[in-house]
Amino acid sequence: MTTRRVVLVRSAAVVGAASTGLLLPQIARAQSSRIRVGFMLPYTGAYAPLGVAIENGVRMALNEKGGKLGGREIDWFKLDDESEPSKGVENASRLVQRDKVDVLIGTVHSGVQMGIQKVVREAGVLNIIPNAGVHAATRALCAPNVFRTSFTNSQPTLALGKPMMDKGLKRAAWITWKYAAGDEAFEGFRDSYTKAGGTIVKELGLPFPNVEFQALLTEIASLKPDAVACFFAGPPAAKFMRDYAAAGLKDKIQLWGSGFLTEGVLDAAGPAAEGVMTTMHYSDSLDTPRNRQFRLDYAKTFRLQPDVYAVQGYDSGLLLALGMAAVKGDFANRQALYKAMETAAIDSPRGKWTMSKSHNPIQDIYLRRVENKENKVIGIAAKALADSGAGCKMA
Ligand code: BEZ
């Protein structure tokens, strides 16, 4: 599909005047005082609902702040990255060079993020990562202008191994998509599970976004582990849980995962998701006034139930608004802007979190169980968990 650019908010008068070269001085001033924010997210493909939820979350946060950033009107740009890593650099360059965005919000897929990372590091453009967990973004390739509001890929699974062992599940198989998100989620699982004394009997994988799980499920059945742990996300995760149940594994071999497995897909997965255990930095059932209000407002505005992706988008909006308020809209004052973002304490629906030195959230990870189509919190699996930030040297 061809890449689309949509300018979502822009005064027709200004666009008309600009295109005829007749900009009046006061209009030129008003235009230059606007801030340009670009979404680079998947709007088609396996992760399309994740992209939509993130955009909704960002818009909701900024609408709550009066629809401006540090008093400046916003021009929005939007680009579908299709979760296609081979187009990551080209698409990020479109937003940065052609559309001249001041802020790039994106993306979901770790491979695509590597393209964004290259472009924004070279151009010095502010990048807020609202999902993609690729380690390098806040480790070896960290940068003063890159902030992540989500997680690193191994953060949720670093909290997974111990509760599995606490339940007496001593032998586990791992299954995932073979790309950075799955491979790095495995690192967290491997480290936490083996440290707790568990044995990983097999690592299974298939390419993203393949959903032909049957042969691997047959292999799992023959391995007879105590449990299966996994990383899948988006609508394909619902298919994985349905196929797992249909293969007769659900009642024999407990299914555990990084919490993305059950985010935003509980209706689609149906009874196949009931009882699935996960670890994640959010839960729909968090019984706090902040989360209850967020869920109510989101459902009213978008006629959809929010999930972790919506929360990460919302927190991206909060972070940007907070930074821009601190510099009173003076985007050129990067030092003060980044300082404010770096030292932010975000009052999120997920609970309060802060930013690590390498610009990744320090956050609680919850243990959850699917009950009646809800990710029910069982407890806190890891308190204020930070990523190692290994190799990060801020310039
Ligand atoms: C990733 O590619 O980093 C990713 C995608 C979906 C959910 C979680 C991580």
Side-chain angles (χ1 to χ4, degrees), residues 47 50 108-110 131-134 151 153 179 181 231 233 260 309:
Y47 287 158
L50 288 60
V108 167
H109 185 288
S110 278
N131 186 73
V134 63
F151 54 88
N153 286 323
Y179 82 101
F231 165 85
F260 305 106
Y309 311 108

Side-chain angles (χ1 to χ4, degrees), residues 248-270:
L249 299 178
K250 183 171 162 47
D251 298 325
K252 292 192 194 127
I253 305 171
Q254 279 193 30
L255 182 57
W256 291 61
S258 178
F260 305 106
L261 179 66
T262 57
E263 280 300 317
V265 297
L266 291 177
D267 279 334

